[in-house]
Amino acid sequence: MANMIAHGFSVLDNPSKHTSSTTLSELDTTTHDYDSSSMSDCESSISGPNNDPDPSFHDGLIRLHEGDRVYDLLRRRLVSVLGLVGAQAEVVAIHRNSVRGVMGQARIQSFQIFVKATASKCGGDANVKFAWYAGSKEDLCKIVEQGFGNPNNNGLYGRGIYFSPDDSPMECLKDSVVDKDGLRHLLLCRLVLGKTEVVHPGSEQYHPSSEEFDSGVDNLTVPKKYIVWCTNMNTHILPEYIISFKAPSTLNGFASVRDSSRTPTSPWMPFTNLISVLSKFLPPATIALISKYHRDHKEKKISRVELIQRVRQIAGDKLLIAAIKAYRTRY
């Protein structure tokens, strides 16, 4: 892991990564198929004994139960991709969007129209992905009922709705809110990503840069963030499930534990030199953002751990490690 001391940057060993063979591909055959007949089936199923809406949630949500194939799949997937946190997490409830009513049907039909249109535009592949979004129970229920509104993120990657890929929920989990019952809630959505483009930290982008692209990512090879622009937020996003769970009380400090604050014993470089090296690879707006965070740290506006996390998020460990190795070779 990359780790920073007060005015320098160091490389530490990477911890082993947790992997799992559990995927959400099975959901493609277990959820509704976005047509009018399946929507009717969803509506009729509400009267079944195992599909009663939980009174503590919005009545547009249907509670799934243990033993249901989708319930078990989603529980296994969330626990597996949360790694160490998942080993201590307890899934309490899973609710499915009932998509009932005129507006619910209209949203599904709109989503399907854009799936087909994007597929036609992109050579047959709309690049539909599952992704996680975090928020309070109230916020997530409102999204299911009314759709997305103004972004509540920090705008690091422009003005859009940020999601975490299906296999990387930790980033969005940091934004989750613990309710009065001690539960956190994640919203699992389908996204129409189409052709993606890289959006660099510090960007002020709010729509695709050209007609060629449809959405944004922080990294084309291994994305940790999907960015759906506000112009597409209620046509390219389909909220499907809310997963409610208990997680360790140390979750908020999990990143801090992972990014140890101990003084590094491995080689490091002065932070000003790091900025100089990074400026050869990253756009000016991104370098300006890194410099701002460094000033914030020097002025004690953010902690060293926060600075570490933000610089790693912006530059990526691969580039940081290469920069430090190059510096050590030269000096």
Side-chain angles (χ1 to χ4, degrees):
M1 288 282 184
N3 194 10
M4 192 182 309
I5 64 177
H7 299 289
F9 212 93
S10 172
V11 176
L12 299 177
D13 293 335
N14 279 315
S16 60
K17 294 185 177 180
H18 180 90
T19 59
S20 171
S21 60
T22 305
T23 70
L24 292 182
S25 59
E26 189 178 348
L27 282 181
D28 290 327
T29 61
T30 56
T31 55
H32 43 69
D33 297 320
Y34 309 123
D35 58 26
S36 57
S37 60
S38 64
M39 284 184 279
S40 298
D41 291 340
C42 289
E43 292 191 60
S44 62
S45 68
I46 294 174
S47 61
N50 293 327
N51 285 325
D52 293 332
D54 189 319
S56 65
F57 274 75
H58 179 261
D59 62 6
L61 291 160
I62 297 172
R63 183 162 186 168
L64 305 181
H65 295 270
E66 191 170 355
D68 178 277
R69 184 168 60 159
V70 174
Y71 178 100
D72 293 341
L73 173 64
L74 290 174
R75 180 177 60 181
R76 289 197 309 269
R77 181 57 174 171
L78 180 63
V79 169
S80 69
V81 296
L82 284 178
L84 295 176
V85 172
Q88 304 175 62
E90 176 190 358
V91 174
V92 174
I94 299 178
H95 289 80
R96 174 171 62 83
N97 183 356
S98 69
V99 297
R100 62 179 180 177
V102 175
M103 294 309 297
Q105 295 184 27
R107 290 189 183 97
I108 278 203
Q109 290 169 355
S110 175
F111 182 82
Q112 179 62 12
I113 287 170
F114 278 93
V115 168
K116 294 178 179 178
T118 305
S120 177
K121 170 180 174 289
C122 297
D125 183 8
N127 193 17
V128 177
K129 301 286 188 182
F130 284 104
W132 302 102
Y133 183 86
S136 68
K137 179 173 70 175
E138 292 74 17
D139 287 342
L140 299 187
C141 288
K142 188 174 181 179
I143 288 170
V144 170
E145 179 185 10
Q146 302 178 5
F148 282 85
N150 290 328
N152 60 358
N153 52 59
N154 59 9
L156 182 63
Y157 291 90
R159 187 168 179 78
I161 311 295
Y162 302 168
F163 293 86
S164 292
D166 155 53
D167 61 355
S168 303
M170 275 305 300
E171 281 301 314
C172 78
L173 194 57
K174 297 173 187 176
D175 299 325
S176 63
V177 179
V178 180
D179 65 17
K180 60 182 177 60
D181 298 317
L183 299 178
R184 297 176 185 272
H185 309 275
L186 288 178
L187 177 65
L188 183 64
C189 300
R190 292 190 202 232
L191 310 181
V192 181
L193 294 177
K195 186 170 183 179
T196 58
E197 61 181 314
V198 172
V199 181
H200 294 286
S203 170
E204 296 182 357
Q205 190 170 342
Y206 58 92
H207 56 67
S209 63
S210 72
E211 292 185 0
E212 178 183 1
F213 300 107
D214 303 282
S215 61
V217 291
D218 60 338
N219 184 293
L220 285 175
T221 306
V222 187
K224 296 298 181 185
K225 286 189 184 299
Y226 297 142
I227 303 104
V228 177
W229 304 115
C230 291
T231 50
N232 296 333
M233 64 185 179
N234 288 313
T235 55
H236 289 56
I237 305 170
L238 182 64
E240 290 207 274
Y241 299 94
I242 294 180
I243 296 90
S244 305
F245 60 99
K246 292 182 179 179
S249 59
T250 56
L251 178 60
N252 287 335
F254 180 74
S256 300
V257 172
R258 181 183 57 193
D259 297 322
S260 172
S261 59
R262 64 184 173 83
T263 302
T265 57
S266 54
W268 70 284
M269 67 187 297
F271 198 88
T272 52
N273 292 64
L274 177 66
I275 292 177
S276 177
V277 172
L278 293 179
S279 66
K280 300 176 182 178
F281 302 95
L282 299 175
T286 302
I287 295 300
L289 187 61
I290 293 176
S291 299
K292 175 186 179 299
Y293 288 149
H294 184 223
R295 289 195 302 272
D296 288 345
H297 170 61
K298 292 173 67 175
E299 295 170 4
K300 302 187 183 303
K301 294 179 180 178
I302 62 174
S303 68
R304 177 168 64 85
V305 170
E306 288 178 297
L307 179 57
I308 294 169
Q309 293 171 350
R310 293 180 186 185
V311 174
R312 289 181 59 200
Q313 181 184 42
I314 291 171
D317 287 347
K318 186 175 181 180
L319 177 57
L320 293 173
I321 291 171
I324 296 170
K325 286 183 177 179
Y327 173 81
R328 293 294 298 176
T329 301
R330 182 175 179 181
Y331 295 98

